[in-house]
Amino acid sequence: MTCGWLQDQVVLITGGGSGLGLAIVERFMQEGARLAVLERSFEKCESLVRRFGDAVVAVQGNVILPEDNARAVDATIARFGRLDCFIGNAAIWDHGASLMDTDAASLAAGFDELFAVNVKGYLLGAKAAATELVKSEGSMIFTMSNSSFYPGGGGPLYTSSKHATAGLVRQLAYELAPKVRVNGIGPCGMNTDLRGPQALGQAGRRIMDSRSPEAIKTILPLQFFPSPEDFVGPFVLLASRQNNRALSGVMIQADAGLGIRGIRHVAGGLSL
Ligand SMILES: NC(=O)c1ccc[n+]([C@@H]2O[C@H](COP(=O)([O-])OP(=O)(O)OC[C@H]3O[C@@H](n4cnc5c(N)ncnc54)[C@H](O)[C@@H]3O)[C@@H](O)[C@H]2O)c1
């Protein structure tokens, strides 16, 4: 019998009800892991339970609340007895709301709502999981974005929130060594249920309402429109004990080559 890369590992992920998080749940189970999910949507929690039964612990809650993060860790330990990996993944986007086109009151309220989910949510998840991860000498992984490295993948709210996750990865990797490995993965555009802040009137708007598959394909040097499943391999690698002993503080740019896009080509030659 062959063992998966995550055989018997216990993993807690936030926002595992759809999109990238759900793809991670599916693949991690194939690799032998046992999963717990902290997810805001009741419907998505119900769907996880319908689909996976007792194999997945679905905790309905909000990542911006310390008590909900603590409840998710407690439920994981109660069911599986340990925690090997925490994945901070739940986030919201800003549909590219720009500085000039967004009024100051909306920027202020949008900042509070978006940073609460994208940055405070990761911090509080890490805080809730840290003691168990020190015990198991496990790992943390944070879902970043191309917006953790480059402008233009969102507006100033999303881009600065995703840049902040780079600081979190570095600081936590520093603080939690030698017991816990802490890493990040920055995917690029894909078709998911990613929404925006209520404060910007975007709670019902999905990412692909503002982006087309063709546009995403065109801007990526590797020239394909990714699906969430295209990004899960690096998560498996970073979570795996036997395949990742040495990586900590590492941020994998899983963005189909955006970093080598280089100087923009214009008709007739290079623009310099
Ligand atoms: N979709 C993209 O194009 C894209 C690109 C780069 C990075 N990402 C990142 O991928 C990650 C996953 O997003 P996705 O695209 O799969 O979107 P998604 O909306 O499909 O998944 C995010 C999940 O998080 C949940 N969630 C949102 N706010 C929450 C909260 N406060 N508490 C608990 N759960 C909450 C949502 O209900 C949803 O199920 C995010 O970190 C996002 O920034 C997405």
Side-chain angles (χ1 to χ4, degrees), residues 158-240:
Y158 184 74
T159 303
S160 56
S161 78
K162 285 297 182 180
H163 272 63
T165 62
L168 206 54
V169 167
R170 290 196 182 98
Q171 181 65 25
L172 297 185
Y174 169 79
E175 285 189 20
L176 296 175
K179 296 291 187 186
V180 182
R181 293 167 283 120
V182 182
N183 296 294
I185 296 166
C188 56
M190 62 187 128
N191 187 2
T192 68
D193 196 30
L194 191 65
R195 316 266 181 126
Q198 191 107 42
L200 299 182
Q202 297 176 350
R205 249 173 100 191
R206 297 183 169 86
I207 181 160
M208 296 312 289
D209 297 335
S210 308
R211 292 278 191 269
S212 78
E214 199 47 41
I216 291 174
K217 183 179 161 185
T218 305
I219 59 167
L220 297 175
L222 294 185
Q223 296 281 291
F224 69 103
F225 175 53
S227 65
E229 291 73 20
D230 291 319
F231 300 105
V232 299
F235 284 86
V236 174
L237 170 71
L238 291 180
S240 165

Side-chain angles (χ1 to χ4, degrees), residues 100-184:
M100 293 303 279
D101 292 340
T102 313
D103 65 72
S106 299
L107 275 179
F111 179 96
D112 289 346
E113 187 178 341
L114 189 140
F115 265 70
V117 181
N118 293 12
V119 186
K120 186 163 74 175
Y122 281 12
L123 180 67
L124 294 177
K127 176 66 184 164
T131 304
E132 290 297 330
L133 293 177
V134 167
K135 253 192 244 171
S136 68
E137 303 201 359
S139 75
M140 293 182 188
I141 305 171
F142 295 98
T143 302
M144 304 171 75
S145 166
N146 49 267
S147 295
S148 300
F149 306 97
Y150 310 114
L157 298 179
Y158 184 74
T159 303
S160 56
S161 78
K162 285 297 182 180
H163 272 63
T165 62
L168 206 54
V169 167
R170 290 196 182 98
Q171 181 65 25
L172 297 185
Y174 169 79
E175 285 189 20
L176 296 175
K179 296 291 187 186
V180 182
R181 293 167 283 120
V182 182
N183 296 294

Side-chain angles (χ1 to χ4, degrees), residues 230-267:
D230 291 319
F231 300 105
V232 299
F235 284 86
V236 174
L237 170 71
L238 291 180
S240 165
R241 287 182 186 274
Q242 72 266 42
N243 295 291
N244 177 24
R245 181 99 197 271
L247 302 180
S248 193
V250 164
M251 291 169 253
I252 297 179
Q253 294 179 243
D255 56 17
L258 274 178
I260 48 94
R261 188 168 50 179
I263 296 168
R264 188 152 53 104
H265 288 276
V266 293

